[in-house]
Amino acid sequence: MTPTYSTITGLGFYVPDNIVMNDDLKQYMETSDTWIQERTGIKQRRYFTYGKDTNASMGAAASRMALERAGVATADVDLIVYATITPDYYFPGSAFLMQRELGLEGTAVIDVRQQCSGFVYALSIADQFIKGGTYKTVLVVGSEIQSSLLNKSTEGRNVAVIFGDGAGAAVVQATTDPAHRILSTHLHADGRYAEDLMVKDPGSSRDGRWLTEETLAAGDYNVAMNGNAVFKHAVVRFMEVINEALDANGYSASDLDLLVPHQANIRISEYVRQQMNLPTEKVYSNIERYGNTTAASIPIAMTEAYDEGLIKPGDLICLAAFGSGFTWASALIRW
């Protein structure tokens, strides 16, 4: 019996129209373009437009682009795997809302809450379902609206300047061609560090109402981050999980045609690039344009890299992410 593999046949992304330059943040906090660029590499990011953009509508826009480029009819989608930490509702997840918008009633959906590693986790889920023969066409989506969760004050600027909004999607389909496929995926997590990067409220394990005057005053509905801890773990786990994928398939870093890391911080990506002795042109970066879009960052970056001719048939591509949880993951793809 011929083995079934999975392959990415289409990519797409959507970012809101609202461009927020570094200097625009001065209206909220004490900061500067130089200060932000030196610490993050970010020049601008996108913020959603209330009344126009939703998490699900952005995911749908990215999905339509990916489906069109794959030459796949929407009705042919068997499963949606949707990664986000910023759903439109507390429940149900935004996968249901996007499914409704795409007219795919009855199609199975899975919501994934794996933060910055969400897209790679979602891709791995799609890969397993396809290789197991359950589904033939899976839509994998990462979408985030984070600008509404940020403490846009001088007190919260270390976090607020980093994040942006956007969505990306990939069409993953069954193939019997072993030369062009997802080679392997690798997933990890360590909950000991859950509080080093989190949004605490609203949470169910509270005495009384989820949101009270006390929780609002404490700002627990904003993103809280221990930046030093995140950086220290990220640079180690990024390299570990990239090397894990390479080792599992008999490759070394020099065999890579392109590394597409989660766009967390230019300092993290640059440190990893140097430690792995990769030339600048082999590590894709678009954080300067969009900031950190969490689960959306890898599919947005992949789409742009593909459009720029940096991902070509036969190329060896590695996706890698690290984020809250802590969670980290990689995927190695022969395009």
Side-chain angles (χ1 to χ4, degrees):
M1 183 175 179
T2 304
T4 298
Y5 307 105
S6 59
T7 186
I8 296 174
T9 58
L11 295 166
F13 80 105
Y14 172 89
V15 289
D17 296 331
N18 184 18
I19 300 174
V20 179
M21 305 298 295
N22 287 342
D23 282 339
D24 293 333
L25 297 177
K26 290 180 180 178
Q27 63 184 302
Y28 307 113
M29 64 189 76
E30 294 179 10
T31 191
S32 69
D33 178 62
T34 301
W35 188 88
I36 296 171
Q37 287 201 51
E38 286 178 349
R39 286 160 177 77
T40 67
I42 299 167
K43 297 180 181 179
Q44 62 185 52
R45 74 285 294 145
R46 304 294 182 103
Y47 283 177
F48 86 115
T49 299
Y50 179 73
K52 175 187 177 184
D53 299 311
T54 67
N55 186 299
S57 74
M58 296 196 310
S63 296
R64 291 188 186 102
M65 177 187 288
L67 288 164
E68 180 180 355
R69 291 181 168 194
V72 173
T74 304
D76 291 334
V77 174
D78 301 312
L79 171 70
I80 296 169
V81 189
Y82 197 105
T84 186
I85 56 168
T86 56
D88 294 300
Y89 304 148
Y90 189 80
F91 70 83
S94 290
F96 295 88
L97 308 183
M98 191 191 81
Q99 179 223 50
R100 179 176 65 189
E101 185 162 336
L102 293 178
L104 285 171
E105 290 79 5
T107 300
V109 303
I110 297 173
D111 276 284
V112 176
R113 291 178 60 93
Q114 294 305 110
Q115 300 71 251
C116 298
S117 299
F119 182 81
V120 182
Y121 265 73
L123 186 66
S124 181
I125 292 169
D127 183 43
Q128 307 312 315
F129 270 117
I130 289 173
K131 288 191 299 188
T134 305
Y135 299 115
K136 293 183 178 180
T137 301
V138 181
L139 189 56
V140 181
V141 182
S143 182
E144 305 286 6
I145 290 179
Q146 301 175 120
S147 57
S148 54
L149 300 175
L150 303 174
N151 177 3
K152 300 187 189 77
S153 69
T154 300
E155 179 187 26
R157 66 182 174 183
N158 288 341
V159 174
V161 301
I162 297 173
F163 292 97
D165 306 337
V171 177
V172 186
Q173 293 189 280
T175 181
T176 56
D177 181 4
H180 305 282
R181 63 185 177 94
I182 297 173
L183 299 175
S184 63
T185 58
H186 307 268
L187 312 177
H188 299 278
D190 191 340
R192 291 177 297 170
Y193 306 99
E195 286 76 23
D196 282 332
L197 180 51
M198 69 170 181
V199 174
K200 185 176 181 180
D201 283 311
S204 61
S205 56
R206 303 289 182 270
D207 181 16
R209 293 173 295 143
W210 290 347
L211 287 179
T212 64
E213 291 183 5
E214 288 77 16
T215 58
L216 289 171
D220 288 341
Y221 54 90
N222 294 134
V223 179
M225 179 173 68
N226 180 344
N228 289 334
V230 172
F231 183 90
K232 180 178 70 174
H233 286 271
V235 294
V236 173
R237 298 307 192 185
F238 257 113
M239 287 186 289
E240 282 183 357
V241 81
I242 293 166
N243 284 322
E244 180 182 2
L246 292 169
D247 291 344
N249 294 280
Y251 293 112
S252 64
S254 60
D255 295 313
L256 280 176
D257 292 293
L258 191 67
L259 170 65
V260 184
H262 162 56
Q263 306 294 300
N265 186 309
I266 196 64
R267 293 189 300 154
I268 293 175
S269 297
E270 185 61 14
Y271 182 88
V272 171
R273 183 192 70 78
Q274 292 176 0
Q275 292 298 306
M276 298 194 71
N277 294 314
L278 291 170
T280 302
E281 63 271 16
K282 286 195 174 185
V283 180
Y284 191 78
S285 176
N286 64 358
I287 193 170
E288 68 275 7
R289 295 192 293 277
Y290 305 119
N292 181 339
T293 55
T294 304
S297 79
I298 285 179
I300 292 174
M302 286 178 70
T303 306
E304 291 203 323
Y306 182 85
D307 290 347
E308 292 169 22
L310 300 176
I311 298 178
K312 304 177 296 297
D315 281 355
L316 187 65
I317 310 298
C318 186
L319 315 179
F322 175 89
S324 168
F326 286 150
T327 176
W328 59 103
S330 66
L332 195 65
I333 303 167
R334 180 63 73 179
W335 204 262

